[in-house]
Amino acid sequence: MAQVAQRAGRTQLDRGAERLDDPELPFPIRTSKLRPVAPRRGTVRRRALLDRLQESEAPVIVVIAPAGYGKTTLLSQWVDDEPGRVAWLSGDDGDDDPVVLCTDIAAALDRLEPLAPGVFAALSAHRPAAALLPPLLTAFEAPADPVTFIIDNLDSITNPECLDLIGELASRLPEGARLVVSSRAHPPLPLARMRVEGRLLEIGVPDLALDVGETYD
């Protein structure tokens, strides 16, 4: 597993983006993965959906639609409305390893508020993937104020171990924390259970489709 993480880290660095300067990190992380994509100039602001996101008390939010429906744009606009308390991870195939995924999540949280010493070391240790959950939850509990964590492009992550970790994280979020994921297809998370428990907000194609009023607003 560590070798996979090292390879993924080198791939991230080779893509030419700025790396995080933190001696605790077990491999380089592109800072571009940890910030939202800036909306293009002239992009329609999704006011109704932004209000819906803002007003929701659901701890888990999923935004599901094919490419081109503005999932990333919507979430980027939401970050603009929630400065300082939103952590972001743009998922890619490098996150298809549990160590890489958990380390990237922790690095995004660390940008909001420094994590306790040893968190990154715990995440990069040789261990079963399921054992990565406790230090990951510790990272979520670290900020003084609850955090909203966005994982964009979740569909790029296909490793069942990684998806199981995200599912467990969604089920065991600290009080007040929120997890938001965007995907082109329904993610293999316990959505039915969370729906029954009233812990889930779903935004799909009908919601993301622009209406005439928004187009000319």
Side-chain angles (χ1 to χ4, degrees), residues 52-53 56 58-63 198-203:
R52 185 175 170 188
L53 289 169
S56 175
V60 179
I61 299 172
V62 295
V63 183
R199 302 180 63 249
L200 180 66
L201 170 64
E202 298 173 272
I203 294 177

Side-chain angles (χ1 to χ4, degrees), residues 60 62 89 91 95-96 98 101-102 105 129 133 136-137 140 149 151-173 179-181 187-190 193-194:
V60 179
V62 295
L89 173 63
D95 294 304
D96 226 13
L101 174 63
C102 291
I105 291 174
L133 185 62
L136 186 62
L137 288 171
F140 264 82
F149 197 101
I151 302 178
D152 195 25
N153 303 324
L154 182 63
D155 49 277
S156 65
I157 301 172
T158 59
N159 185 335
E161 289 185 315
C162 294
L163 295 171
D164 286 347
L165 277 169
I166 295 173
E168 286 296 318
L169 177 63
S171 299
R172 297 169 60 178
L173 286 169
L179 178 66
V180 185
V181 301
L189 303 179
R193 187 184 73 211
M194 291 187 288

Side-chain angles (χ1 to χ4, degrees), residues 44-45 47 210-217:
V44 175
R45 191 155 185 84
R47 293 178 181 173
L210 284 168
D211 60 32
V212 175
E214 288 179 306
T215 304
Y216 290 96
D217 191 6

Side-chain angles (χ1 to χ4, degrees), residues 65-128:
Y69 272 83
K71 302 183 295 298
T72 299
T73 297
L74 171 66
L75 295 179
S76 297
Q77 291 177 354
W78 191 23
V79 173
D80 287 341
D81 291 344
E82 290 284 324
R85 303 316 306 167
V86 180
W88 180 285
L89 173 63
S90 294
D92 60 28
D93 55 6
D95 294 304
D96 226 13
D97 173 85
V99 172
V100 176
L101 174 63
C102 291
T103 301
D104 282 354
I105 291 174
L109 292 168
D110 188 67
R111 287 165 68 87
L112 294 182
E113 189 170 317
L115 300 179
V119 170
F120 289 111
L123 290 172
S124 63
H126 293 268
R127 60 180 68 206

